[in-house]
């Protein structure tokens, strides 16, 4: 176990309520459309699993792997695709599901990359957004919570591969 202090920032109940609201909005938006929901691995797993169950219309689920971190807490700024979706996005309504938008470089990379595949539309949903960390003009259509520019873990988000299974979002307040 890594030795860090974690202070709760967003509770399990708050996440649940917000994810239900986002799912209802997406249900209205996508009703009757050909939708491919893309889970961006690995941080989005919890959010994705909960969000798609709140979307009450048919969606095809796909998974895409990206890496941008050079160590546990610092982004390298260079995004690399480690695994791709298994279906054509041509003419589909694509929903990108991200855990967190920090600098925005990952989201920008994704939008550019997926846009080249000629989808009918791209909608982006991120559970978290750090407005003060944004370094580019990327489009995020739906945000669960805006948070301060601090490192967070839990509900899919890791530190050194751990803490993804915490049911709440916690702020890493000090490293020992
Ligand atoms: P961006 O490209 O927007 O700077 O970073 C996006 C990715 O960095 C996220 O998908 C996530 O994997 C990681 N990331 C950014 N901020 C945090 C954070 O506070 N905690 C964790 N665990 N990962 C983060």
């Amino acid at each position: 176990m890594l030795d860090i202090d974690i202070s709760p920032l967003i509770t399990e109940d708050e996440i649940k309520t917000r994810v239900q609201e986002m799912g209802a909005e997406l249900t209205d938006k996508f009703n009757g459309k050909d939708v491919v929901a893309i889970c961006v691995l690995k941080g989005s797993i919890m959010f994705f699993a909960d969000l798609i169950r709140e979307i009450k219309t048919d969606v095809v689920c796909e998974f895409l792997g990206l890496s941008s971190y050079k160590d546990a807490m610092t982004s390298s700024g260079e995004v690399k695709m480690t695994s791709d979706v298994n279906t054509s996005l041509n003419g589909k309504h694509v929903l990108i599901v991200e855990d967190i938008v920090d600098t925005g470089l990952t989201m920008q990379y994704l939008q550019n990359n997926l846009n080249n595949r000629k989808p009918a539309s791209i909608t982006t949903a991120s559970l978290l957004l750090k407005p003060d960390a944004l370094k580019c003009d990327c489009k995020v259509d739906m945000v669960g919570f805006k948070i301060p520019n601090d490192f967070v873990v839990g509900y899919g988000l890791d530190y050194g591969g751990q803490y993804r299974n915490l049911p709440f979002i916690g702020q890493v307040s000090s490293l020992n």
Side-chain angles (χ1 to χ4, degrees):
M1 202 63 167
L2 297 166
D3 197 11
I4 62 171
D5 289 329
I6 298 170
S7 346
L9 182 67
I10 306 171
T11 66
E12 203 175 343
D13 279 350
E14 287 168 331
I15 295 171
K16 194 170 176 200
T17 303
R18 186 68 189 112
V19 171
Q20 282 169 346
E21 289 169 359
M22 294 171 89
E25 218 179 297
L26 289 166
T27 303
D28 287 346
K29 179 170 184 149
F30 287 139
N31 210 358
K33 293 188 174 156
D34 227 351
V35 180
V36 179
I38 300 180
C39 174
V40 184
L41 298 170
K42 300 177 187 164
S44 307
I45 48 169
M46 306 290 179
F47 177 43
F48 184 82
D50 287 342
L51 185 66
I52 55 168
R53 282 179 291 176
E54 296 296 338
I55 302 177
K56 311 294 183 192
T57 183
D58 291 343
V59 293
V60 168
C61 298
E62 284 289 334
F63 301 85
L64 188 152
L66 291 181
S67 77
S68 70
Y69 266 40
K70 68 169 184 255
D71 62 40
M73 287 175 69
T74 334
S75 170
S76 66
E78 263 173 56
V79 185
K80 206 173 96 194
M81 190 176 294
T82 53
S83 62
D84 203 349
V85 297
N86 275 326
T87 191
S88 164
L89 301 179
N90 195 329
K92 306 282 171 57
H93 294 274
V94 168
L95 172 65
I96 301 176
V97 181
E98 258 286 26
D99 51 355
I100 185 164
V101 174
D102 182 12
T103 62
L105 294 169
T106 304
M107 188 58 99
Q108 191 179 49
Y109 168 90
L110 270 175
Q111 285 169 355
N112 290 339
N113 185 300
L114 300 184
N115 213 19
N116 288 335
R117 308 181 195 195
K118 308 276 180 275
S121 69
I122 295 183
T123 301
T124 51
S126 181
L127 180 69
L128 305 173
L129 170 75
K130 295 181 187 171
D132 296 338
L134 273 176
K135 285 193 182 150
C136 61
D137 201 15
C138 72
K139 164 180 98 88
V140 189
D141 299 303
M142 202 179 280
V143 172
F145 303 91
K146 291 183 181 170
I147 62 166
N149 193 6
D150 293 314
F151 197 79
V152 292
V153 293
Y155 195 64
L157 289 148
D158 76 314
Y159 172 66
Q162 292 181 4
Y163 307 107
R164 291 193 199 276
N165 58 330
L166 291 177
F168 60 91
I169 305 279
Q171 216 158 354
V172 177
S173 50
S174 72
L175 297 174
N176 299 309

